[in-house]
Amino acid sequence: METIYCANCGHKNNISTDTCEKCGEILHIFTNANKEINSINELFTDMHLFQLNNKILSLDAYETIIQSIIEAGKNRLTYKEYRTPLEQIKALAEAYSILIFKNDRKNYGEYAFNVICVDECFDEAIQIATILHELTHHLFNTILCSIVMYVWNVKKNTHVRCIYTNHDNNSRSSINK
């Protein structure tokens, strides 16, 4: 049986199915992975570094990656009439990530892996801006992960996710200095 791995959860599916059996994500052929990375050492092989530096990502592949991410959010987005702007932004964020709230007034919010944390002590305008800011980090990381999966022809797992999470944390460190 030919298989295709889900770009969202990494579940192995029959290639003839359109959606992931585990999470319902729309499956695209670009995520058809032949292998899984099982250790951190496998991330940084000469072959993987060569592929990242030399493989050309076609416009079609990039558009497929972006469309897959858009469709995943559309499939999870719930529509309700008469939502406030904050409620609409919360629904959008929850379609792509896990949204949690805190009450400590230490910072507006933060993002790690698939979780956006927002401090609800601040006014609604700050909460909206924070959710959009952190959602942008998440979507950028999702794009990077999908590109790595495509270039290396691997399925998504914790080891692959650590590449783009590390990139995002390094980017933030340089901005905060």
Side-chain angles (χ1 to χ4, degrees), residues 21 28 31 50-51 53 71 101 112 142 163-165 174:
E21 298 163 355
H28 295 280
T31 59
F50 178 83
Q51 288 173 323
N53 287 319
E71 291 298 321
F101 292 89
T142 301
I163 290 175
Y164 65 87
T165 301
S174 64

Side-chain angles (χ1 to χ4, degrees), residues 19-108:
T19 58
C20 177
E21 298 163 355
K22 185 175 179 184
C23 72
E25 178 84 13
I26 295 174
L27 301 172
H28 295 280
I29 296 301
F30 78 89
T31 59
N32 187 5
N34 291 329
K35 57 190 176 281
E36 180 175 358
I37 293 178
N38 296 308
S39 75
I40 198 77
N41 293 333
E42 291 180 43
L43 291 173
F44 302 106
T45 63
D46 289 339
M47 179 190 72
H48 282 160
L49 294 174
F50 178 83
Q51 288 173 323
L52 286 175
N53 287 319
N54 296 297
K55 185 161 185 175
I56 296 172
L57 182 68
S58 70
L59 184 56
D60 287 343
Y62 183 74
E63 286 176 354
T64 301
I65 289 168
I66 298 300
Q67 194 59 41
S68 174
I69 295 167
I70 291 168
E71 291 298 321
K74 277 185 183 177
N75 290 338
R76 294 184 200 112
L77 190 60
T78 56
Y79 174 78
K80 293 180 183 172
E81 286 190 63
Y82 309 112
R83 284 186 176 169
T84 66
L86 178 58
E87 291 170 333
Q88 290 175 0
I89 297 300
K90 285 178 180 180
L92 177 65
E94 289 170 339
Y96 290 97
S97 63
I98 298 167
L99 185 60
I100 61 174
F101 292 89
K102 62 181 181 173
N103 292 300
D104 65 10
R105 290 198 176 272
K106 290 184 181 175
N107 59 25
Y108 296 137

Side-chain angles (χ1 to χ4, degrees), residues 108-110 116-118 125-135:
Y108 296 137
E110 54 208 4
I116 295 171
C117 181
V118 177
I126 296 293
Q127 290 180 52
I128 289 170
T130 301
I131 292 169
L132 290 174
H133 174 88
E134 301 303 342
L135 181 60

